[in-house]
Each structure stands twice: as C-alpha cells, then as structure tokens.
C-alpha cells in the first residue's frame, strides 16, 4: 500500500463527508422547526404558522433528498476505499450502522411521505404526528451515527481476536462510550442553531428587501415571526453550546490527550500550560511560530489544577502525533463563530425586549451575514474531531494506514475527480435552487389568490376560516402545494 493511495482515499472521504454533513446538520434542526410550526398552527389557528410550514417543508424535502444521496455515497466508500476497516471492525461498527437504518431511516421513510403529501389525505392530528416522528427519526439517526463515530474516538466494550478482527463483548459499553453524551448534545445543538441561523438570515434578508422597496408592514407577518423565533432560539442555545462544548473538551482531554495537545498547540509536557490565542504550528520544528499566549490559563481551560501536568505533543513519537495545523485553527474558527452567535443572540434579545428588532438594519444585516456560520462551525468542528484523531482510525487501536483498501493511487484519483465534478454540478444546482426559494420567502408556499394577481413580500395572508385544518380541501397538497412555485 503506497502513501499516495492512502492520502487520496482520506481526501476523497473528507470531500464527500464535508458535503454530506451539511445536510443532516440542517435537516435535523429543520425537522424540529417544522414540528413546532405545525404544532403552533394547530394550537393557535394562526395562518402565518401554516404558511411558514408550507414554505420551509419544501426546503426540508430538497435538503433531505440531497442528504440521503450523499450518505449513500459514503456507505459505498467503506467497501471501495476502506475495506480493511470494515473487515476488522465490522463486528462492532456494522450493527451500529444497521441500527441506524432499522430504527431511524425506516421511521423517516415511513412518515416522510405522509408529511410531504398527506395534507388532504389524513387528518390534522395524524399529519402532525407524522411531522413529529420524522423529526424524532432524524434525531435517532444522529444518535447511531455519532455512537459509531464516538466509539472510534473512545473505543471500549470490545476485544481483538486472534485474526485481528474486533468483536463486541459489551454492546452497551460500545454504544454508550465515554465521548457519546457530550458529542451528541454538541451536534444536536449545532444542528438546531444551524437551522435557526438560516431561518433568521432568510427572514432578515426579506425584511431588508421590504425596507429597500419601501414596503410598509405592520403586525406579525411570517417574516417577523420567523425572525423572532430564530433569534430566541439562538439567544438560548448559543451560550448553552459553549458550556456543552467545554464539557466535550474535558472528555477529549481525558481520553484523547494527543488531540487536546494538537488543538491547544501544546508541544511541551508541563504544568501550568498557557492558553495559545494564536500561533502557526510547525510539525517539523515541533513548535509554534508567531505565538500569542496568555500564561497560566491553559490548565484552567482544561478544567484541571494549575499544578497538574498536561501532556504536550513531545510525549508521543512523531509518527503518533496528530497533524496540528487543522485542529489548531479549526478549533479557533469554531469558537470564534460560536462567540459571534452568542453576540447575535444577545443583541437580538435586547432588540426584541426594546421592540426594535425590525427597525434595526444593522442587526438585520448581521443576521444575514451569520446565515452560513452554522455550516462553517459544523465543518470546522468535524475537521477538528477527525484530523485530531489521526494517525488512528480507531483511537490508539487501529491505524488509518492499516484500514485502507488495497487499491492503487490512480484508481482513487480517478474516482475523486469524478466525485468533484458530479458534486460540483449536482449540489451547486441544488444549493442555488434552495437559495432562490429562500429569497422568494413564505409567499411562495401558498396557492391562495393574491389581490390584483400579486402579493407584496411580507404582506400577511387574508385571514383563514377558523376551522381551517390540514385536511381542508383548499390546503395545498404537500410541498408541491408549492406546485405553482416550482413548475
């Protein structure tokens, strides 16, 4: 096995999973948001909640479909590029991935059709239950995938057989491995915040367009409701995410000290470590260049006494050290974006309290700019997690170089180029279409006639009859009740 094939296989998997993770990170939160919207509509009978649901369910359907397609590609790569990994660890990892299909994917697939196309075919309670079950299914899916990945980070509950294969001896220990609780909470919060940031950005963008066009709106229009809901979510979850992220870091410090050293830029094993705010890690020189540090704060950040020794990368042979550049900067990007999210939430909460959130163009522009920040933070965090684990595919047990398939570099390079071309075309087209739908706004989700053939953006719909329910005949039939918008 030559190193080029290994490197190309890693790049190929990194490329495809970077695309894939964006969609679950969005659809997990969006499914929960849709369940909240439909529940609020059934409770309050306010037409704006239904309009928002019909609008965002279109985007959910597109994102969910792209997530499924990109996920299938990943599963094939286990066999084509990482067959040794599956051969050796399949006895442990295989059932976890199978449970995800049996408990989550089947649940989602069973009720997704009802959720998308059942508006005039089932009663309101059953339709709402279907939306809730799809949201639960996305969360269960995240549980099993993160359980499998967390076991690779903090493996336990297994034994290695004479032929080198792994066998589970305690599946509860495998599933509920030490890093799962904090990583699952961290990922779910990231998904909810990613959705909140996108919804907030789309709503703020349309409010800015209304201001620029001189459209005067009053009352709780769809865009205003969506913005306040998004800001409220971010104001609550962003500080909580900081706490959960710190707890996850403490678990990493305990079970993956080499990863912690790479993240923090620690080269020297010592007590009273500094906090490195900036630096350029140099693996060859085994030091940081242009280092900016705060002395004596590193131990405090790690949650250990000041006199406790924290391992630096010098505690491991060079071939056992993770490459520090990506974990070091990825972590700082993630934390920096998290602090901006906290700032967005606090600023928005103050404006809501002062009843000025719709009259602050600077805040609306900031909300638009923060729209993609959730995706960027998820990508940065995932790269920190995966690159920081190297050179191990199962931490301290199985090296990445021993998990790759017996393929040659030219074969992997050919498939990598093909993936880049196909993904660039398909997913770029999908992303552009989703962005265009977001720019249109909730008005695109309704087929109700507008006065004089046109409805200005942000203008609330005419009040619906009090007995309007998802089963009424005048309700659009699912997301392609969006038929008029997509045809």
């Amino acid at each position: 096995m030559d190193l080029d094939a290994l490197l190309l296989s890693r790049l190929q998997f990194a490329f495809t999973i970077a695309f894939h993770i964006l969609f679950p990170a969005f659809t997990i939160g969006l499914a929960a948001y849709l369940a909240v919207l439909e529940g609020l509509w059934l409770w309050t009978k306010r037409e704006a909640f239904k309009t928002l649901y019909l609008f965002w369910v279109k985007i959910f359907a597109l994102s969910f479909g792209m997530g499924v397609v990109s996920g299938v590609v990943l599963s094939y790569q286990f066999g084509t590029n990482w067959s040794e990994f599956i051969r050796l660890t399949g006895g442990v990892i295989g059932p976890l991935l199978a449970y995800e299909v049996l408990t989550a994917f089947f649940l989602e697939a069973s009720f997704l059709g009802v959720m998308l196309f059942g508006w005039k075919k089932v009663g309101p309670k059953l339709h709402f239950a279907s939306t809730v079950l799809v949201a639960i299914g996305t969360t269960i899916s995240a549980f099993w995938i993160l359980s499998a990945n967390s076991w690779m980070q903090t493996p336990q509950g297994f034994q290695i057989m004479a032929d080198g294969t792994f066998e589970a001896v305690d599946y509860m220990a495998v599933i509920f491995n030490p890093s799962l609780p904090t990583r699952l909470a961290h990922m779910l919060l990231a998904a909810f915040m990613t959705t909140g940031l996108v919804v907030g950005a789309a709503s703020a963008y349309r409010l800015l367009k209304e201001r620029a066009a001189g459209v005067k709106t009053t009352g709780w229009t769809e865009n205003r409701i969506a913005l306040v809901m998004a800001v409220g979510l971010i104001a609550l979850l962003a500080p909580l995410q900081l706490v959960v992220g710190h707890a996850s870091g403490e678990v990493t410090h305990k079970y993956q000290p080499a990863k912690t050293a790479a993240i923090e830029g620690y080269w020297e094993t010592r007590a009273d470590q500094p906090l490195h705010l900036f630096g350029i890690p140099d693996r060859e020189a085994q030091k940081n260049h242009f280092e900016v540090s705060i002395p004596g704060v590193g131990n405090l950040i790690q949650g250990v006494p000041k006199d406790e020794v924290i391992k630096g990368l010098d505690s491991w042979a060079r071939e056992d050290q993770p490459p520090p550049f990506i974990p070091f900067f990825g972590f700082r990007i993630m934390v920096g974006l998290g602090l901006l999210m906290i700032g967005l939430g606090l600023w928005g909460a103050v404006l809501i309290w002062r009843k000025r959130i719709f009259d602050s163009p600077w805040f609306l522009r900031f909300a638009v700019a923060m729209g993609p920040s959730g995706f960027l933070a998820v990508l940065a965090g995932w790269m920190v997690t995966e690159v920081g684990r190297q050179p191990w595919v199962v931490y301290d047990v199985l090296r990445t170089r021993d998990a790759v398939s017996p393929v040659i570099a030219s074969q992997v390079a050919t498939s990598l180029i093909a993936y880049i071309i196909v993904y660039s075309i398909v997913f770029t087209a999908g992303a552009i279409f989703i962005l265009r739908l977001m720019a249109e706004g909730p008005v695109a989700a309704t087929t109700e006639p507008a006065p004089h053939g046109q409805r200005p953006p942000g203008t609330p719909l005419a009040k619906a009859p009090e007995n309007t329910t998802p089963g009424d005949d005048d309700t659009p039939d699912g997301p392609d009740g969006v038929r008029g918008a997509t045809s």
Side-chain angles (χ1 to χ4, degrees):
M1 185 74 276
D2 66 40
L3 183 62
D4 289 337
L6 171 61
L7 178 60
L8 288 169
S9 293
R10 290 178 63 190
L11 289 174
Q12 181 172 298
F13 199 83
F15 175 78
T16 52
I17 201 171
F19 270 89
H20 172 69
I21 195 175
L22 297 178
F23 298 109
F26 185 41
T27 55
I28 290 170
L30 191 53
Y33 179 55
L34 290 170
V36 170
L37 286 175
E38 187 170 5
L40 287 172
W41 176 53
L42 292 172
W43 181 31
T44 66
K45 305 300 181 184
R46 294 187 64 173
E47 194 72 10
F49 291 123
K50 183 185 78 173
T51 305
L52 284 169
Y53 180 98
L54 291 174
F55 170 67
W56 285 105
V57 78
K58 293 185 304 179
I59 296 171
F60 173 81
L62 290 167
S63 302
F64 187 89
M66 289 192 286
V68 169
V69 171
S70 58
V72 170
V73 171
L74 289 175
S75 64
Y76 277 119
Q77 284 185 70
F78 284 129
T80 57
N81 293 59
W82 302 99
S83 59
E84 282 298 294
F85 169 69
I86 293 300
R87 185 183 71 83
L88 295 172
T89 68
V92 177
I93 266 307
L96 300 180
L97 300 179
Y99 294 154
E100 190 266 338
V101 174
L102 292 172
T103 62
F105 189 75
F106 283 175
L107 180 64
E108 295 165 351
S110 298
F111 291 95
L112 184 65
V114 178
M115 173 183 170
L116 298 182
F117 307 111
W119 280 93
K120 293 192 294 186
K121 299 176 177 62
V122 300
K125 292 182 180 179
L126 179 55
H127 189 275
F128 175 58
S130 299
T131 303
V132 171
L133 287 170
V134 169
I136 292 172
T138 60
T139 303
I140 294 174
S141 179
F143 170 84
W144 287 115
I145 295 300
L146 280 169
S147 177
N149 184 268
S150 296
W151 178 82
M152 295 162 64
Q153 306 285 338
T154 52
Q156 66 175 23
F158 71 99
Q159 64 180 0
I160 300 178
M161 308 302 288
D163 60 356
T165 59
F166 291 48
E167 180 183 87
V169 295
D170 183 352
Y171 248 113
M172 293 302 290
V174 169
I175 295 169
F176 297 99
N177 56 80
S179 61
L180 173 65
T182 54
R183 293 189 68 228
L184 178 62
H186 199 49
M187 184 64 204
L188 290 177
L189 288 174
F192 296 147
M193 289 177 60
T194 296
T195 299
L197 289 162
V198 171
V199 171
S203 305
Y205 172 79
R206 291 190 294 270
L207 290 172
L208 285 171
K209 295 289 285 185
E210 291 173 14
R211 289 176 62 92
V215 176
K216 301 295 184 181
T217 58
T218 58
W220 288 99
T221 63
E222 294 94 336
N223 293 328
R224 291 185 170 197
I225 290 172
L227 178 62
V228 170
M229 291 178 72
V231 169
L233 178 80
I234 295 164
L236 289 172
L237 296 190
L240 179 60
Q241 180 72 307
L242 185 65
V243 175
V244 173
H246 178 71
S248 182
E250 290 182 337
V251 174
T252 301
H253 169 71
K254 180 178 180 180
Y255 291 96
Q256 296 178 289
K259 181 190 290 187
T260 296
I263 289 172
E264 300 294 347
Y266 297 153
W267 294 98
E268 179 186 356
T269 299
R270 52 174 282 193
D272 197 20
Q273 290 277 14
L275 172 63
H276 298 310
L277 300 177
F278 180 79
I280 300 178
D282 186 340
R283 196 176 187 182
E284 294 301 318
Q286 296 282 289
K287 67 177 184 178
N288 300 322
H289 300 288
F290 309 108
E291 196 173 85
V292 178
S293 306
I294 302 177
V297 181
N299 283 49
L300 177 64
I301 295 295
Q302 299 302 323
V304 298
K306 188 175 182 180
D307 58 351
E308 182 174 321
V309 173
I310 295 180
K311 288 184 177 180
L313 290 171
D314 61 0
S315 296
W316 291 270
R318 187 166 299 195
E319 62 270 18
D320 294 334
Q321 295 175 358
F325 190 88
I326 291 177
F328 185 85
F329 282 104
F331 179 77
R332 279 148 185 79
I333 291 171
M334 179 178 63
V335 171
L337 290 171
L339 293 176
L340 288 175
M341 294 172 196
I342 292 174
L344 175 69
L346 292 178
W347 187 6
V350 171
L351 290 175
I352 291 173
W353 178 62
R354 298 178 64 184
K355 299 181 180 180
R356 295 182 55 187
I357 188 169
F358 310 123
D359 303 319
S360 175
W362 283 108
F363 174 79
L364 296 178
R365 293 188 188 102
F366 184 37
V368 172
M370 289 293 289
S373 63
F375 296 110
L376 296 176
V378 166
L379 284 175
W382 201 259
M383 286 190 288
V384 168
T385 299
E386 300 307 302
V387 177
R389 185 185 61 211
Q390 299 304 317
W392 309 96
V393 67
V394 180
Y395 191 76
D396 257 352
V397 179
L398 178 64
R399 289 183 179 270
T400 306
R401 67 173 182 235
D402 297 326
V404 73
S405 299
V407 292
I408 60 176
S410 60
Q411 293 173 325
V412 185
T414 300
S415 59
L416 176 58
I417 292 170
Y419 278 128
I420 292 174
I421 293 172
V422 172
Y423 274 50
S424 298
I425 295 171
V426 174
F427 290 106
T428 299
I432 290 173
F433 184 56
I434 288 174
L435 289 173
R436 286 180 176 176
L437 286 177
M438 289 184 184
E440 290 180 32
V443 66
T446 180
T447 56
E448 294 185 26
H452 308 296
Q454 186 175 8
R455 175 173 172 259
T459 305
L461 291 168
K463 186 177 180 181
E466 290 299 322
N467 63 346
T468 300
T469 65
D472 288 347
D473 290 338
D474 63 343
T475 305
D477 187 11
D480 59 350
V482 282
R483 279 192 292 258
T486 56
S487 59

